[in-house]
Amino acid sequence: MNGASAHHRVVVIGGGNGGISVAARLRNAGVDDIAIVEPREEHLYKPLFSHVAGGTAPGSITVRPQRDVMPKGVEWIQDAVASVQPDSDAVVLEGGDRLTYDQLIVCPGIQLDWDRVPGLVEAMQTPAAASHYELELAKKASSLLRDLKEGTVVFTQPDGPASCAGAAQKPMYQACDYWRATGVLDALRVIMVVPTPTVFLEPFDRELERKIAEYGIELRTRSVLLRVDAAGQEVVLGGPNGPEHVHYDVLNVEPPQSAPDWLKASSLAVPGVSGGFVEVDPRTLRHPRFANVWALGDAAATTNSKCGGALRKQTWVVSKNVKRALRGKEPSARYDGYAVCPFTVSRSTVVWAEFDDQGRQKPTIPFYKRMYRESRLSWVFDRHVLPWVYWHLILTGRV
């Protein structure tokens, strides 16, 4: 009933990877009276979207009913958040209901800001543009890249915070491998636009640069997508040498991103900083001004690179610390800044980039320093093993 009020020991905002996993970990640890606020009816495994766009995975395997992944004993509140009121320990929902909490975990993910680039919304509605950041657009990208035989293809990564920003490159490498195998790569001009000084991070640049040279890709560093002329199929790129106008036959975009609007408007956001992400201690993941509020994943203003791979350690830290907080104890678990980006540099190999929040290598297997090299085994793990681990172990709070 609209306008109703309810109280829970733990309220989790967001039913994606982070929300489901942290709630499952808390339930496994014996914490009860947990509620997850999530409006969507479908749960998506987004790391496979780049495989969908690259033609190495069907879109159907990335989706399951949200109800099927909800941890047992956790209440699912199928509504969206309208506002958060941490001074009164309350969350107001769009449907009018009000939730109060002992502990709040904020992990709603990130918002795709398509309208921040003039002409981008219109471009996505044309036959020549797509993205692998939404499932239907990833399916569209797959057919566009597969059917292209000649012309210019532009792939772009946005400036500023983004979820697994390096994923902008993944469909590109898979497409180039396919075009080479089908004999059309030489008839194509492939441009990759990144805002960073190098293609990614220093420990992994050499491997990626080798593939870029192998495929003949034109790399634009310190560059961004400024605007799109959807009707004329032209993009304007901003870089060190000024604006560059490029006609495209296919455009694949990673859109600009920020925190959800309701989060930007809340007192949880970092004061005076754009983006609207939740202020947290980067190690304990606790809010410095509201001691019963925690955040993780893309919506948290952590120091690490935003990516799904960071969540495994973050959910472990938050679940441990929230359990202690419920007992009146101080947090003890600490997040080490770990992040990972598996670059699918062909249709059968991956460069496995693991790093910390200082950009240094941080391999899961410390003695195996060559994990970052191009590998067929890493591709098998990324494409086939990790999806099984996600559905059966990560979402159940077991790893």
Side-chain angles (χ1 to χ4, degrees):
M1 181 178 177
N2 290 353
S5 182
H7 182 84
H8 298 277
R9 293 186 75 196
V10 180
V11 170
V12 180
I13 298 177
N17 180 346
I20 296 293
S21 301
V22 74
R25 286 185 185 274
L26 287 168
R27 283 296 298 135
N28 294 345
V31 177
D32 57 8
D33 193 17
I34 303 170
I36 294 178
V37 180
E38 173 54 60
R40 295 171 299 182
E41 294 187 354
E42 293 182 330
H43 187 94
L44 303 170
Y45 180 57
K46 294 182 179 180
L48 273 184
F49 283 12
S50 58
H51 280 280
V52 173
T56 54
S60 59
I61 67 172
T62 68
V63 185
R64 292 194 180 181
Q66 184 72 26
R67 188 170 299 281
D68 290 355
V69 301
M70 280 289 165
K72 292 182 179 179
V74 171
E75 182 180 346
W76 175 21
I77 299 173
Q78 193 175 356
D79 203 342
V81 173
S83 66
V84 178
Q85 301 169 352
D87 290 313
S88 52
D89 298 335
V91 176
V92 178
L93 305 180
E94 287 187 353
D97 291 351
R98 187 173 186 269
L99 305 175
T100 55
Y101 53 81
D102 294 332
Q103 300 289 324
L104 176 68
I105 303 174
V106 184
C107 46
I110 206 162
Q111 177 175 283
L112 304 181
D113 295 330
W114 296 99
D115 57 357
R116 274 172 51 192
V117 176
L120 186 55
V121 172
E122 293 79 8
M124 289 299 124
Q125 297 167 0
T126 70
S131 171
H132 56 291
Y133 271 67
E134 288 187 0
L135 181 55
E136 291 307 312
L137 290 175
K139 295 176 184 177
K140 180 184 178 183
S142 179
S143 60
L144 282 176
L145 298 173
R146 180 196 63 213
D147 295 341
L148 192 65
K149 300 295 187 292
E150 61 182 0
T152 299
V153 193
V154 179
F155 295 85
T156 72
Q157 175 185 327
D159 194 8
S163 181
C164 199
Q169 302 175 41
K170 298 181 184 183
M172 175 185 69
Y173 297 125
Q174 294 177 77
C176 284
D177 191 26
Y178 174 78
W179 292 326
R180 181 173 59 183
T182 55
V184 302
L185 182 59
D186 289 343
L188 289 162
R189 181 189 185 195
V190 183
I191 300 174
M192 180 70 232
V193 181
V194 299
T196 47
T198 66
V199 63
F200 189 58
L201 292 172
E202 189 276 330
F204 316 104
D205 283 345
R206 185 175 299 179
E207 277 297 277
L208 298 177
E209 288 168 354
R210 180 174 60 81
K211 299 303 291 187
I212 286 170
E214 181 181 311
Y215 294 132
I217 297 166
E218 298 179 24
L219 179 65
R220 302 285 195 276
T221 57
R222 303 181 189 272
S223 301
V224 293
L225 177 64
L226 295 179
R227 61 182 180 273
V228 185
D229 175 359
Q233 291 185 206
E234 183 182 79
V235 293
V236 180
L237 309 177
N241 300 318
E244 178 185 6
H245 295 251
V246 178
H247 173 83
Y248 64 85
D249 294 279
V250 170
L251 172 65
N252 191 84
V253 174
E254 178 183 339
Q257 297 162 50
S258 65
D261 289 338
W262 59 264
L263 200 48
K264 292 189 187 81
S266 78
S267 54
L268 296 179
V270 181
V273 177
S274 63
F277 299 102
V278 181
E279 186 179 10
V280 291
D281 179 311
R283 298 301 174 225
T284 65
L285 304 180
R286 186 187 208 174
H287 201 288
R289 291 177 284 117
F290 302 101
N292 63 341
V293 176
W294 313 78
L296 65 152
D298 292 343
T302 48
T303 53
N304 64 286
S305 175
K306 296 182 183 298
C307 66
L311 285 170
R312 180 175 57 84
K313 292 193 175 185
Q314 290 182 358
T315 57
W316 182 85
V317 168
V318 170
S319 64
K320 292 290 184 183
N321 288 340
V322 167
K323 185 178 179 182
R324 288 181 61 85
L326 288 168
R327 296 174 175 175
K329 298 181 179 180
E330 287 299 305
S332 60
R334 297 177 65 80
Y335 171 54
D336 61 4
Y338 172 87
V340 59
C341 185
F343 284 94
T344 47
V345 292
S346 77
R347 293 169 67 84
S348 60
T349 57
V350 159
V351 168
W352 194 264
E354 293 180 287
F355 49 97
D356 64 14
D357 51 6
Q358 302 299 311
R360 300 169 298 201
Q361 284 192 58
K362 194 173 183 63
T364 298
I365 307 173
F367 59 82
Y368 187 24
K369 298 293 186 182
R370 293 175 64 84
M371 277 189 71
Y372 70 96
R373 300 299 297 271
E374 181 181 4
S375 166
R376 166 69 177 172
L377 182 60
S378 293
W379 190 90
V380 172
F381 187 71
D382 181 55
R383 170 62 184 83
H384 297 288
V385 177
L386 269 183
W388 186 92
V389 171
Y390 180 79
W391 296 116
H392 296 280
L393 299 179
I394 292 176
L395 292 186
T396 58
R398 298 176 187 174
V399 296

